[in-house]
Amino acid sequence: YAIANLPNIAAVIQATGAGGADIGSIFTELKKLGVENQKAAMMAIDTLNIQGKEGAFRLSSLAKEGPKIFAAYAATGRQGTQAVTELGAALQIIMRGAGSEPEAVTAFEALIRDITRPETVKKLKEIGGIQVFEPEELKKGREVMRSLPALMEEIVTKSKGLSSNLALINLSDEAKRALKPVIGEFIQKGDVKSFDQFLNMS
């Protein structure tokens, strides 16, 4: 896998200026999300790079923080290049409410951890009819989280961005920080559209 991706790794090093070890680790992490072949790996990296140029979380920073981010998203059961696009989109939006890349990563991990807790899964369904896991996968006996951007959007729109409603799902301060930019957009515009920009990049 590494040898097959050497031309890709070289191209990404040249494009981003990030270190070889860091870029190599991103390719390793992609494998955890089921991005197996060379073409798919390059597509995934390219999307992350374009998202980083449009947003604030650069690919070179992702290379440093990558292992934690990819491990957290792989644990949700999300797979393939689509999962990489979702991960990148969520990170770019979370970054808007964080002071630094490490803070954004902490918020990203915390949000995934909090919303997949059994008690939170139950509460989200009771209060807002929000399904955390893919219904089709649940029928097969597998817990695969729905897209993180979709969940963030639903949590904010169904709670109307109100802290009193959000308090019911008992999120940690770090997880709340991840939702802050989405809440800000909802309060200002009455809707959440910022994820679309990053999800439609390829």
Side-chain angles (χ1 to χ4, degrees), residues 29-199:
E29 297 305 323
L30 287 176
K31 208 168 188 311
K32 288 180 188 168
L33 288 173
V35 180
E36 292 285 347
N37 72 55
Q38 208 177 331
K39 194 178 172 194
M42 197 60 197
M43 266 177 62
I45 292 268
D46 216 14
T47 301
L48 290 171
N49 190 32
I50 295 164
Q51 287 175 332
K53 284 179 177 171
E54 281 290 313
F57 204 111
R58 300 274 162 171
L59 184 64
S60 50
S61 305
L62 187 64
K64 288 189 197 87
E65 305 288 343
K68 285 190 266 182
I69 301 159
F70 285 95
Y73 213 55
T76 67
R78 305 294 299 165
Q79 291 280 289
T81 51
Q82 182 55 39
V84 180
T85 305
E86 294 162 8
L87 171 156
L91 260 184
Q92 295 303 338
I93 299 301
I94 291 169
M95 185 62 194
R96 292 177 182 174
S100 66
E101 282 98 350
E103 277 180 34
V105 173
T106 303
F108 176 87
E109 289 179 294
L111 184 63
I112 290 173
R113 186 180 59 241
D114 283 12
I115 62 176
T116 54
R117 282 190 322 227
E119 57 270 32
T120 314
V121 170
K122 199 173 160 202
K123 266 276 188 263
L124 285 168
K125 197 168 179 194
E126 279 171 12
I127 303 164
I130 298 168
Q131 287 270 20
V132 172
F133 299 111
E134 294 277 7
E136 289 306 309
E137 293 294 335
L138 279 175
K139 284 177 196 166
K140 297 174 199 166
R142 287 198 306 250
E143 284 186 341
V144 175
M145 191 182 85
R146 287 173 56 226
S147 154
L148 185 59
L151 285 169
M152 289 170 76
E153 206 173 296
E154 268 185 51
I155 290 167
V156 170
T157 52
K158 293 198 172 172
S159 68
K160 298 183 172 59
L162 298 171
S163 52
S164 54
N165 291 340
L166 287 164
L168 300 170
I169 53 174
N170 199 22
L171 297 174
S172 62
D173 288 343
E174 285 94 349
K176 283 181 200 157
R177 190 179 297 134
L179 293 174
K180 217 165 61 176
V182 191
I183 294 166
E185 184 188 353
F186 182 79
I187 290 165
Q188 268 187 321
K189 300 178 180 173
D191 205 355
V192 178
K193 296 279 179 208
S194 54
F195 285 113
D196 299 349
Q197 172 198 357
F198 295 108
L199 288 169

Side-chain angles (χ1 to χ4, degrees), residues 9-26:
I9 293 168
V12 178
I13 291 168
Q14 192 175 16
T16 62
D22 290 335
I23 296 299
S25 79
I26 289 193

